[in-house]
Amino acid sequence: MFVIVGGGICGLAIGWRLAAAGRPVTVLERGEAGRGATWAAAGMLAPQAEAEHAEEALLPLAMESCARWRGFADELLAASGIDVDYRDEGTIVVALDRDDREHLEHRFDYFRTLGLDLEWLSGYEARQREPCLARAVTAAIYSASDHQVDSRRAAAALKAAYLAAGGILREGVAVDEILVSGNRVTGVRAGDEEIAAEAVVIAAGAWSRNIPGIPEAARPPVRPLKGQMIALRMETGNPILRHVVWGPGLSLVPQVYFAPKSDGRLLIGATVEEMGFDTGLTGGGLFELLRQAYEALPGIYELPVDETWAGLRPASRDDAPILGPTSVDGLVMATGHHRNGILLAPVTADYVARYLLDGEVAAAMRPFMLDRFRRPVEATA
Ligand code: GLY
């Protein structure tokens, strides 16, 4: 029996792969499956637009996962009957004033050194693609290969596919302890119940670090990073946006983004806040989101508010995911996905499941194992 702690997109996707391979698997979810960071996510598949300095190692994995998403969405539709709203219009990153434009030029030059496939647009060209963008948009970058899905539909599809493949899902079950004997995981304890397992996968998002029983050497350095979001409702048949759009930001909202969904919701995100496990909404957070969104897309002023919420990104110490085996036999990581949980779900599922089924550590997963945090810092004389 495999036990997966956490029923978010990655836990369910790994479980689906294992169940589809005919192996017994149980996902234990402390709340409701798919209602944590997955529920909160905008669903952007944006390895290029979200590329950051000093995160170059992540780019190939992120690009690979993005390329797999269309097939993953098709597979999910076939297995669950649920369309995850995969949209491939691409992504536009806009600049509003001289400062933004210089920053965008700097990013564009950097992106080119990475060999990314991006196009520079004038403000006029950006508005030709998205006519409702503000007149103040002076320049933009277009990425034809950064896409999006509806993360809530993806979670629903994965849950259905996982159950249909024979996986067991237990919701409302918090794991109180990871059971370890010698240097080997033997199972988990939830309340008075002990569940034996040949391997335990930690896919518990922001909670992954704090689960009792994980030996100190295998405790993943993951912390919650709060993101407040708002959804507006676009006019039926006349959406104000079709592409994912990124704008500039400040302090609480480092880069505002818009993710228009086919059901008419326009998701606007997100704050980035170190607030522990607090998921409260604040006037300042929502104000900053709307203020910055309004500057790029003034037409939002008239749109009704559909929903507001906050989620917790599981941020690792270097912002990259933590995947695969650890120094404790049978204890396996699938956590720390930070801003990229939806994007990285297909590769996380495939590589972690391959390890569990065959013992194979894929070369692409190797740099993201937990042991990278235990290596001594190399001298740079
Ligand atoms: N990937 C978007 C966010 O984390 O807000």
Side-chain angles (χ1 to χ4, degrees):
M1 164 73 77
F2 295 117
V3 166
I4 299 174
V5 185
I9 192 167
C10 290
L12 289 171
I14 295 164
W16 180 34
R17 293 293 189 230
L18 296 174
R23 301 295 294 272
V25 51
T26 295
V27 170
L28 300 174
E29 165 55 48
R30 57 195 286 283
E32 197 181 320
R35 291 292 297 220
T38 304
W39 187 261
M44 293 177 297
L45 312 175
Q48 301 203 132
E50 288 206 71
E52 295 286 349
H53 286 278
E55 291 181 10
E56 288 83 357
L58 185 55
L59 193 60
L61 188 75
M63 300 277 280
E64 183 190 342
S65 205
C66 190
R68 285 189 193 201
W69 246 106
R70 187 186 293 272
F72 192 67
D74 289 345
E75 247 189 293
L76 275 174
L77 178 62
S80 69
I82 297 174
D83 178 350
V84 302
D85 194 24
Y86 178 89
R87 291 185 56 165
D88 62 0
E89 288 91 343
T91 293
I92 302 175
V93 186
V94 303
L96 292 174
D97 56 21
R98 175 153 176 217
D99 186 42
D100 292 343
R101 187 194 166 102
E102 300 243 340
H103 182 65
L104 201 62
E105 278 174 358
H106 175 69
R107 277 175 73 79
F108 190 62
D109 290 345
Y110 164 66
F111 288 152
R112 275 211 296 224
T113 66
L114 298 177
L116 302 187
D117 176 23
L118 297 161
E119 193 181 332
W120 183 263
L121 304 178
S122 66
Y124 171 75
E125 289 167 331
R127 276 185 297 281
Q128 280 194 315
R129 290 175 194 247
E130 284 293 1
C132 294
L133 286 174
R135 303 290 305 169
V137 169
T138 56
I141 294 172
Y142 173 62
S143 169
S145 54
D146 282 337
H147 302 313
Q148 62 164 324
V149 293
D150 184 319
S151 60
R152 297 179 182 182
R153 288 197 199 185
L158 273 165
K159 183 172 164 176
Y162 170 68
L163 292 173
I168 296 168
L169 173 62
R170 294 180 57 188
E171 298 176 290
V173 177
V175 169
D176 294 310
E177 190 179 356
I178 305 296
L179 302 173
V180 179
S181 173
N183 194 45
R184 159 151 281 289
V185 155
T186 57
V188 300
R189 182 176 62 77
D192 293 336
E193 185 186 7
E194 291 195 356
I195 304 168
E198 61 183 282
V200 173
V201 180
I202 305 296
W207 286 264
S208 299
R209 182 191 177 90
N210 305 329
I211 303 170
I214 300 179
E216 192 52 39
R219 196 167 283 285
V222 174
R223 69 188 194 286
L225 207 50
K226 175 175 164 180
Q228 299 185 49
M229 306 239 337
I230 184 162
L232 304 179
R233 184 146 293 280
M234 299 184 287
E235 209 178 305
T236 310
N238 188 25
I240 193 171
L241 273 189
R242 289 181 311 111
H243 301 79
V244 171
V245 170
W246 288 73
L250 284 169
S251 58
L252 253 188
V253 184
Q255 234 191 326
V256 70
Y257 55 76
F258 304 86
K261 302 297 174 189
S262 301
D263 64 3
R265 281 155 56 91
L266 177 61
L267 275 46
I268 302 175
T271 64
V272 177
E273 301 171 71
E274 299 273 2
M275 297 289 286
F277 287 90
D278 168 37
T279 51
L281 295 164
T282 62
L286 297 178
F287 170 74
E288 286 297 334
L289 276 176
L290 287 173
R291 185 169 71 94
Q292 287 168 40
Y294 174 75
E295 284 184 14
L297 193 68
I300 63 164
Y301 200 85
E302 304 292 341
L303 300 183
V305 175
D306 198 73
E307 188 187 349
T308 52
W309 69 97
L312 299 173
R313 306 173 184 88
S316 76
R317 205 184 294 152
D318 61 4
D319 292 343
I322 304 172
L323 306 175
T326 65
S327 58
V328 177
D329 292 340
L331 185 64
V332 175
M333 294 291 148
T335 187
H337 290 76
H338 191 226
R339 300 179 70 107
N340 297 308
I342 309 301
L343 168 65
L344 295 175
V347 287
T348 298
D350 289 344
Y351 291 143
V352 173
R354 195 188 304 172
Y355 171 72
L356 290 164
L357 293 169
D358 303 333
E360 182 191 336
V361 174
M365 182 172 78
R366 185 75 193 78
F368 301 101
M369 285 168 51
L370 180 67
D371 63 1
R372 72 185 185 271
F373 299 110
R374 315 288 174 215
R375 288 183 211 125
V377 177
E378 286 171 24
T380 52

